[in-house]
Amino acid sequence: MSDYTNKTIIVTGASQGLGKCIVENILQKYNGSQVVLVARNHVLLTSFFNNLKDSDKERVLIIKGDVTDEETINLTIEKTFNKFGKIDGIIFNAGIIEPVGHLYESNFDVDGMKKLFDVNFFSIVKFLNKLLPEIKTNNNNNNNNNSNNNKKKSINIIFVSSGASTRGIDGWLAYGTSKAAVNALCKQIHDEMNEWVNCVSIAPGVVDTEMQHTIREKFVGKMKDESYQNFINLHEKGQLLDGMVVGATYARLIVEGIPENVRGSYIRWDSL
Ligand SMILES: NC(=O)c1ccc[n+]([C@@H]2O[C@H](COP(=O)([O-])OP(=O)(O)OC[C@H]3O[C@@H](n4cnc5c(N)ncnc54)[C@H](OP(=O)(O)O)[C@@H]3O)[C@@H](O)[C@H]2O)c1
């Protein structure tokens, strides 16, 4: 086990699926690191915490709340600084896929699309707008206080994107455009702040999670048959990816660092 001492990582959407797998990878592989889990489902989060070894409980902070709620964002930042003293990395993983629909349908759910954008995109914007000014101020103060050691402290950020951000999957307008916006946000942050923010937007492939279950159960008749059938086939042939395998890549990059050549980019999880 590698000892990456004292790295504090926040993972949003960590109650199940990929987010939970990322947290488990960090706890198992990086014994010096601490993790903050953010999600709404009290039952899942409490059960996760109760099943941890006592020594791991010290390394974990649970924030129960909705990422679109400003109070959740404030509490996450405040409690993380109080318990662990710093934030070294964040994985913006919380995401939803509905509503599904087409612009050529008169009942296309525009309000639902706005709500999806609140979760998949604007919650991230809000979170970073709370955190980055604080980190920038700390960096400036450190530089002023210690002119011999004026290297800026960097923060690692990983955005969980999707293949749907670069190609139009039938009916996934809301989801695909929100993930494309996330890729653009990543590029923008890199271009403006690469001296002290290292970020990358990573698509995880098709992972065996609740989101895939939702697609199979609820999207029949809402997407073109051929597009829908792709997801059924992947499931039936046992070709969905294991969250622990995919999560290992996110855990490694957030703790060990994001390679310089991919910072600011959109990449696939298996391209590194
Ligand atoms: N699975 C795939 O094939 C796949 C493919 C490409 C991209 N992705 C992306 O991977 C990420 C994780 O998805 P997943 O497949 O693991 O889905 P999942 O099993 O449905 O998990 C989604 C997670 O997001 C959290 N979440 C959703 N809305 C939230 C909100 N308003 N506030 C706080 N947490 C919220 C959920 O927690 P609570 O319900 O407890 O709040 C849950 O922990 C998403 O960004 C998704 O778009 C997944």
Side-chain angles (χ1 to χ4, degrees):
M1 188 188 273
S2 315
D3 182 9
Y4 281 86
T5 306
N6 203 15
K7 293 272 181 185
T8 301
I9 310 297
I10 296 171
V11 183
T12 69
S15 60
Q16 61 179 345
L18 181 61
K20 186 180 174 202
C21 291
I22 293 169
V23 168
E24 286 176 339
N25 268 285
I26 295 173
L27 289 174
Q28 285 170 20
K29 293 179 180 155
Y30 301 102
N31 58 1
S33 287
Q34 301 97 21
V35 196
V36 181
L37 291 80
V38 188
R40 295 163 303 177
N41 191 315
H42 292 226
V43 176
L44 290 178
L45 288 170
T46 305
S47 141
F48 174 79
F49 187 79
N50 290 341
N51 286 322
L52 289 171
K53 297 185 285 191
D54 282 348
S55 55
D56 280 349
K57 284 183 177 156
E58 303 291 314
R59 304 165 59 202
V60 166
L61 174 64
I62 303 271
I63 305 288
K64 293 168 189 164
D66 189 317
V67 287
T68 63
D69 183 353
E70 210 161 321
E71 182 66 12
T72 304
I73 294 170
N74 291 338
L75 270 181
T76 303
I77 294 172
E78 191 185 312
K79 288 193 167 185
T80 304
F81 277 123
N82 285 346
K83 187 168 169 70
F84 299 125
K86 66 199 181 85
I87 297 172
D88 298 294
I90 311 175
I91 300 190
F92 288 109
N93 165 77
I96 55 172
I97 193 164
E98 294 177 276
V100 168
H102 307 89
L103 280 182
Y104 55 76
E105 292 161 341
S106 56
N107 63 350
F108 179 76
D109 185 2
V110 177
D111 288 338
M113 178 167 175
K114 285 186 185 171
K115 283 187 187 142
L116 177 147
F117 259 78
D118 274 340
V119 178
N120 290 9
F121 182 70
F122 285 109
S123 70
I124 303 176
V125 173
K126 272 199 226 169
F127 195 112
L128 290 175
N129 188 226
K130 285 282 173 194
L131 181 64
L132 293 179
E134 192 162 343
I135 293 193
K136 192 168 193 327
T137 306
N138 287 346
N139 267 333
N140 288 345
N141 290 344
N142 287 345
N143 290 345
N144 292 338
N145 293 341
N146 187 355
S147 55
N148 290 328
N149 181 18
N150 64 356
K151 193 174 181 316
K152 285 193 168 74
K153 191 186 160 340
S154 61
I155 180 165
N156 292 332
I157 301 174
I158 298 181
F159 302 95
V160 177
S161 185
S162 165
S165 67
T166 60
R167 67 194 164 94
I169 296 179
D170 187 66
W172 291 21
L173 170 74
Y175 181 74
T177 53
S178 76
K179 293 296 187 178
V182 164
N183 295 350
L185 176 65
C186 176
K187 177 88 182 102
Q188 181 76 23
I189 289 172
H190 174 74
D191 288 352
E192 287 180 354
M193 305 168 219
N194 61 63
E195 280 183 22
W196 53 288
V197 181
N198 301 331
C199 59
V200 64
S201 192
I202 309 180
V206 187
V207 187
D208 192 6
T209 66
E210 189 53 35
M211 188 174 276
Q212 283 299 318
H213 185 246
T214 301
I215 293 167
R216 291 192 302 276
E217 291 296 306
K218 293 176 73 177
F219 291 5
V220 62
K222 292 186 174 179
M223 302 169 61
K224 279 186 186 144
D225 283 351
E226 188 190 331
S227 306
Y228 173 75
Q229 201 56 43
N230 283 338
F231 292 98
I232 299 294
N233 292 345
L234 285 172
H235 180 244
E236 282 178 356
K237 291 179 187 163
Q239 290 174 342
L240 293 174
L241 297 167
D242 180 341
M244 282 304 283
V245 174
V246 178
T249 296
Y250 288 82
R252 174 166 55 83
L253 296 186
I254 202 70
V255 175
E256 299 187 23
I258 299 163
E260 208 165 333
N261 62 324
V262 300
R263 290 180 196 161
S265 321
Y266 161 78
I267 59 171
R268 277 183 55 92
W269 75 280
D270 54 356
S271 65
L272 286 172

